[in-house]
Amino acid sequence: MQTKLDVKKGSTIMLNVEKSEIELLIEKLERNSSVRRNEKTFTFTTVLSILGIALAANNFIASWFYLLPYFIIVPYSAHISYYRIIHARINAYLIETVPEYRTFNIIGNNVPEGKGFLFWIISVLNNYEFFLLSIISMILFYSNYCISLEQWETSNYLICTIPIILSGFVFIITWYGKRYGYWVKKFRVEWKKEIKYETRDNSTIN
């Protein structure tokens, strides 16, 4: 399939893109979204189950269970952010090479997250859910362990700072991957340059 692509104002190039390749990339986007949904479901189910067990036990030893969710939240938040960036890269490629495939996706599915307080709330709840889970785990750990300490030693200070550090790490990872629009724009610029050079090389060979 041959597709027109505007590399810069005043110039148009022709890019050969096989339809099967485009369909494969679209399938990858769908699998990407499916994996992220499944991982979110698994994380929520597992973390809430652990917190439920700790709350049911309601003793000093069980308070350590409130740190266990971080072993799930941290790696999965990084994995989902990575998948979001990969999704943005593939999406940017499709926008630049076959814009007719992506027009409805861009116009119909773009949520103006930065416009209005309600959209901001939607954005936070949708993108920072793992961070919120880490905050809940931190509050429960402080309420059941740190507050109950009668004597504070250096080790106790170190232990009670662990949730803060891990929650901050989760926030940074989530924020880094959350900026989907930024990544799409960034990758579109990169794809334009790469396609431009590729087309120029092909025209030189021909």
Side-chain angles (χ1 to χ4, degrees), residues 87-190:
H87 190 286
R89 183 172 177 81
I90 298 175
N91 197 22
Y93 176 79
L94 290 173
I95 292 172
E96 291 303 318
T97 55
V98 193
E100 62 269 22
Y101 274 86
R102 307 303 300 172
T103 301
F104 175 77
N105 179 274
I106 299 169
I107 298 176
N109 296 331
N110 183 30
V111 178
E113 295 178 347
K115 298 180 180 179
F117 180 71
L118 290 178
F119 282 116
W120 179 82
I121 294 177
I122 293 172
S123 175
V124 170
L125 294 177
N126 184 58
N127 296 297
Y128 290 94
E129 60 268 66
F130 282 10
F131 174 66
L132 295 177
L133 279 179
S134 70
I135 293 297
I136 293 173
S137 300
M138 180 176 67
I139 292 174
L140 291 173
F141 178 72
Y142 285 154
S143 301
N144 291 272
Y145 179 83
C146 297
I147 293 179
S148 62
L149 292 174
E150 295 180 357
Q151 293 182 348
W152 281 80
E153 300 177 355
T154 303
S155 59
N156 292 329
Y157 283 106
L158 293 175
I159 291 172
C160 289
T161 57
I162 290 176
I164 298 176
I165 295 173
L166 293 178
S167 295
F169 189 60
V170 171
F171 176 83
I172 293 172
I173 292 174
T174 304
W175 172 81
Y176 191 76
K178 169 196 171 290
R179 302 177 299 165
Y180 188 82
Y182 163 81
W183 289 114
V184 170
K185 291 179 182 178
K186 181 181 185 322
F187 289 134
R188 286 185 67 180
V189 173
E190 293 181 2

Side-chain angles (χ1 to χ4, degrees), residues 46-66:
T46 306
V47 169
L48 292 178
S49 297
I50 294 173
L51 295 180
I53 293 173
L55 286 170
N58 193 25
N59 56 54
F60 184 79
I61 297 176
S63 62
W64 287 93
F65 276 71
Y66 296 119

